[in-house]
C-alpha cells in the first residue's frame, strides 16, 4: 500500500467504520507521519454544565484519545493493533459552546513496543489550547497482548 | 440568581439522593445524559453504570468500547459523585484527569465507583475505579481502568456572585 492510500484507508476506517467516532461526528482534517488533526463540530449534548454552558471535559478526552491513536497509526505507517496504556489530560481553560473543537496529536517517539504521543485541543486559536495531553500506546502485535485496539 | 440555582441544584440532589432519580442532575450535565450514565445508591454510596450500546464501540475487531467513552464515563462518574455527596451549588470544574487502561472494555455494561481522597476548600481529588462483570460470572468484577482527577469546587465568592 502506498503512503497516500494508507492514509486514505485510515481516514475512511476511522470516520466511517468506528461506531463511536461516527456517532460523535468527528472529521479528520490532516493525517501524515508527522501529525494527525481532527475536529468535533459543536452539539448541545457536549455540554458538561448547562448553566454556565461549558463543554464537558470528557468529550475533549474522547477526541484527544481518538486523534492520539490516529497519530500512532499514521506514524507507524501500517495497520497494526494498538492499545492505549495511559492518558493524562490538563484542562487549561473553559471550552465554549457553538464552536468546533480542534485537536492535533503528534506521535513523537516510536519504540518496538511503545508509542509516545502529545496532543492539544483548541477552539479559535491553536496558541490558546483548552486542553493538552500526554499518552502512551502499546503496539500489541509486538507484545502478543490480547487487549488490542485497531482504529 | 444564585439562590434560584442553589435551589435547583439542591432539588436535583435531593431527588437523586432520596429516590435515585438522576434526571434533574443529568439535565445539568448533558454529556452524562449522552452517555446515558445511571446511578444507584448503596447505603449512600453511588455506583455508576454506562449501559452498553453499539455506538460506544471504538474497536470493531475485538469488539471493544471506545477508550474515550470509558474515560468520559469515568469523568462523569467523578463529577456526579461530587454533586451527590457534597453541597456544591454548581458543577465542579475539571482541572486534570488521568487514566490507566488495564483491560479492553467488552461490549457489555460498564460500572464505576469513586472515592474522594482529599477534599480541600477549593480542590477535591477523586479516584475512580471502572469495571465490568467477568464473562460468565455475573457479579465478579473485571477491572478495566483506574483514573484520578482534580476538580475546582464552588468557592464562596462564586456563591455571592463576586
Amino acid at each position: 500500500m502506498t503512503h497516500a492510500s494508507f492514509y486514505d484507508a485510515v481516514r475512511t476506517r476511522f470516520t466511517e467504520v468506528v461506531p463511536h467516532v461516527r456517532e460523535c461526528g468527528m472529521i479528520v482534517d490532516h493525517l501524515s507521519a508527522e501529525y494527525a488533526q481532527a475536529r468535533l463540530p459543536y452539539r448541545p449534548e457536549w455540554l458538561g454544565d448547562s448553566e454556565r454552558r461549558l463543554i464537558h471535559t470528557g468529550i475533549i478526552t474522547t477526541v484527544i484519545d481518538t486523534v492520539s491513536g490516529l497519530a500512532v497509526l499514521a506514524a507507524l505507517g501500517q495497520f497494526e493493533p494498538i492499545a492505549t496504556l495511559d492518558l493524562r489530560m490538563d484542562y487549561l481553560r473553559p471550552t465554549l459552546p457553538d464552536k468546533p473543537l480542534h485537536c492535533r496529536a503528534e506521535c513523537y517517539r516510536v519504540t518496538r513496543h511503545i508509542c509516545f504521543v502529545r496532543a492539544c485541543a483548541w477552539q479559535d486559536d491553536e496558541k490558546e489550547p483548552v486542553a493538552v495531553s500526554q499518552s502512551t500506546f502499546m503496539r500489541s502485535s509486538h507484545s502478543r497482548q490480547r487487549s488490542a485496539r485497531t482504529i | 440568581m444564585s439562590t434560584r440555582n442553589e435551589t435547583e441544584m439542591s432539588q436535583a440532589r435531593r431527588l437523586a439522593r432520596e429516590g435515585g432519580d438522576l434526571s434533574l442532575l443529568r439535565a445539568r450535565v448533558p454529556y452524562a445524559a449522552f452517555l446515558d450514565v445511571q446511578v444507584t445508591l448503596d447505603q449512600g454510596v453511588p455506583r455508576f453504570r454506562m449501559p452498553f450500546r453499539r455506538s460506544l464501540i471504538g474497536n470493531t475487531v475485538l469488539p471493544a468500547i471506545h477508550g474515550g467513552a470509558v474515560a468520559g464515563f469515568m469523568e462523569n462518574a467523578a463529577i456526579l459523585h461530587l454533586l451527590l455527596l457534597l453541597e456544591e451549588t454548581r458543577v465542579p470544574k475539571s482541572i486534570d484527569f488521568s487514566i490507566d487502561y488495564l483491560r479492553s472494555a467488552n461490549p457489555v455494561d460498564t460500572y464505576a465507583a469513586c472515592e474522594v481522597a482529599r477534599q480541600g476548600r477549593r480542590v477535591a481529588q477523586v479516584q475512580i475505579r471502572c469495571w465490568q462483570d467477568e464473562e460468565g460470572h455475573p457479579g465478579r468484577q473485571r477491572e478495566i481502568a483506574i483514573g484520578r482527577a482534580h476538580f475546582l469546587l464552588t468557592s464562596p465568592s462564586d456563591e455571592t456572585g463576586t
Side-chain angles (χ1 to χ4, degrees):
Chain A
M1 207 186 283
T2 66
H3 269 289
S5 62
F6 167 71
Y7 294 131
D8 283 345
V10 173
R11 219 184 254 245
T12 307
R13 193 151 151 187
F14 169 86
T15 45
E16 290 170 21
V17 181
V18 180
H20 196 58
V21 173
R22 207 172 50 188
E23 183 180 39
C24 295
M26 288 181 228
I27 299 156
V28 182
D29 288 320
H30 178 91
L31 193 61
S32 67
E34 285 71 44
Y35 71 95
Q37 189 172 317
R39 93 189 102 103
L40 178 81
Y42 172 73
R43 283 189 211 162
E45 54 201 353
W46 304 147
L47 293 179
D49 183 337
S50 53
E51 182 198 337
R52 276 181 288 207
R53 295 194 76 229
L54 301 176
I55 289 181
H56 199 293
T57 52
I59 188 66
I60 306 174
T61 306
T62 294
V63 176
I64 282 198
D65 178 67
T66 309
V67 181
S68 297
L70 206 55
V72 170
L73 280 185
L76 294 173
Q78 61 185 28
F79 279 113
E80 69 175 63
I82 54 168
T84 317
L85 283 179
D86 69 4
L87 174 79
R88 182 203 156 89
M89 301 284 303
D90 283 327
Y91 304 115
L92 306 182
R93 42 174 71 79
T95 311
L96 305 174
D98 309 315
K99 296 172 179 182
L101 181 76
H102 301 274
C103 171
R104 180 205 293 257
E106 176 200 356
C107 177
Y108 62 95
R109 167 82 176 139
V110 174
T111 73
R112 215 153 66 82
H113 298 293
I114 306 293
C115 298
F116 298 84
V117 180
R118 56 183 158 233
C120 71
W122 71 94
Q123 293 191 291
D124 289 326
D125 184 354
E126 194 178 343
K127 291 189 190 72
E128 292 192 352
V130 294
V132 292
S133 150
Q134 187 79 39
S135 56
T136 53
F137 290 76
M138 188 168 55
R139 302 174 67 180
S140 300
S141 56
H142 285 244
S143 332
R144 292 192 304 273
Q145 261 282 336
R146 273 193 67 244
S147 57
R149 162 180 143 171
T150 51
I151 282 201
Chain B
M1 176 84 181
S2 69
T3 313
R4 183 178 61 84
N5 291 333
E6 215 172 318
T7 312
E8 281 176 11
M9 184 62 94
S10 32
Q11 189 195 358
R13 194 178 354 254
R14 187 170 46 75
L15 269 179
R17 278 178 182 167
E18 291 171 7
D21 177 3
L22 203 65
S23 54
L24 276 186
L25 216 50
R26 275 204 335 190
R28 307 188 77 84
V29 190
Y31 182 57
F34 173 76
L35 290 179
D36 195 21
V37 178
Q38 313 279 330
V39 67
T40 51
L41 289 166
D42 181 14
Q43 293 177 332
V45 181
R47 195 178 77 162
F48 302 91
R49 182 170 68 93
M50 178 170 68
F52 173 71
R53 64 168 192 254
R54 226 198 92 69
S55 58
L56 290 177
I57 295 279
N59 179 336
T60 50
V61 179
L62 282 176
I65 296 176
H66 195 290
V70 172
F73 166 56
M74 289 167 73
E75 289 190 66
N76 271 304
I79 288 168
L80 293 170
H81 185 88
L82 290 175
L83 284 176
L84 280 164
L85 294 193
L86 309 184
E87 303 298 326
E88 289 294 285
T89 53
R90 307 178 102 172
V91 179
K93 278 186 185 162
S94 304
I95 301 167
D96 58 32
F97 172 72
S98 181
I99 180 168
D100 287 332
Y101 292 98
L102 306 178
R103 292 174 186 87
S104 71
N106 289 334
V108 295
D109 290 2
T110 307
Y111 299 90
C114 307
E115 202 173 307
V116 181
R118 174 172 154 73
Q119 186 196 331
R121 247 164 32 88
R122 299 299 306 267
V123 172
Q125 200 271 13
V126 183
Q127 319 236 5
I128 313 127
R129 210 169 60 77
C130 185
W131 72 91
Q132 295 180 325
D133 279 342
E134 186 94 57
E135 212 180 327
H137 297 91
R140 195 185 294 177
Q141 295 181 3
R142 173 180 177 270
E143 204 162 53
I144 58 164
I146 46 176
R148 58 179 190 81
H150 285 102
F151 293 94
L152 204 55
L153 302 174
T154 316
S155 71
S157 61
D158 291 340
E159 286 167 44
T160 54
T162 52

